[in-house]
Amino acid sequence: MKNIAIVLAGGSGSRMKSTKKKQYLLLGDRPVLWYSLHTFQNCPRIEEIVLVCGEGEEEQCRREYVEKYGITKVKKITHGGKERYHSVYEGLKTAGDCDYVLIHDGARPFIDAAMLNRIFEGLADCPACVVGMPVKDTIKMRSAEGYVEQTLPREKLWMIQTPQSFSYSLIKRAYEELILREQRSSKQETGAVKITDDAMVAETILHIPVKLIEGSYDNIKITTPEDLALAETLAGYYRGKE
């Protein structure tokens, strides 16, 4: 089987309050993006990596984050689109035919080999799998007026992470239909649905079940300066596991 990892590295990082994009900031002596690329590089079940960066950043990514660190599995680099789902679609088109794709946010540095093994075990039973963890806090729905509308059953709630993993033919078909619907819709209709992750595309377009796979509470997404401070602590631990 041919398995490809699509790593998204085109986010603007506006909430980081930095002139440098979050995925390029340093954790220790390595950029945030390096950590996930390095893990996929060392996974024997991943044949190739497709890197999706910001428009005009392709050569910078190749030079500073691929060639510099010897990430030889990055065979293709492309640029993303306006929204995250546009970037995923570009990655899927660039990947070409394969059996499975693992779609991952480059701002989540702390995936590991054990997590990837659990994903592939899940894919053996279900063509759509996402990693996540049960929520620890009580979650309440807020009304428009600012009052508690409902307390949700915590035992059924998970925080969803990446990688999100799918049969390539399945997720590409779902994204093609999503883009086609977007092109057919008015701007008002397009804005009515907010696509927040890849599982949502599979769920809403193809109505297929998506299996939950245990991720890690360490699998944080670096979005704010506070996240970066926590990541600095975790980075030493993950570098020590090499």
Side-chain angles (χ1 to χ4, degrees), residues 37 41 47-49 66-67 69-75:
L37 291 180
Q41 172 77 17
E47 280 72 34
E48 293 182 14
I49 303 169
V66 175
E67 294 176 352
Y69 295 107
I71 310 296
T72 58
K73 287 185 180 180
V74 174
K75 305 297 185 184

Side-chain angles (χ1 to χ4, degrees), residues 34-67:
W34 173 86
Y35 288 81
S36 57
L37 291 180
H38 180 72
T39 301
F40 286 128
Q41 172 77 17
N42 287 344
C43 178
R45 301 181 74 170
I46 297 291
E47 280 72 34
E48 293 182 14
I49 303 169
V50 172
L51 184 57
V52 184
C53 57
E55 187 171 2
E57 297 177 359
E58 294 93 331
E59 284 308 310
Q60 177 192 0
C61 281
R62 184 183 306 279
R63 183 178 62 254
E64 297 184 15
Y65 307 109
V66 175
E67 294 176 352

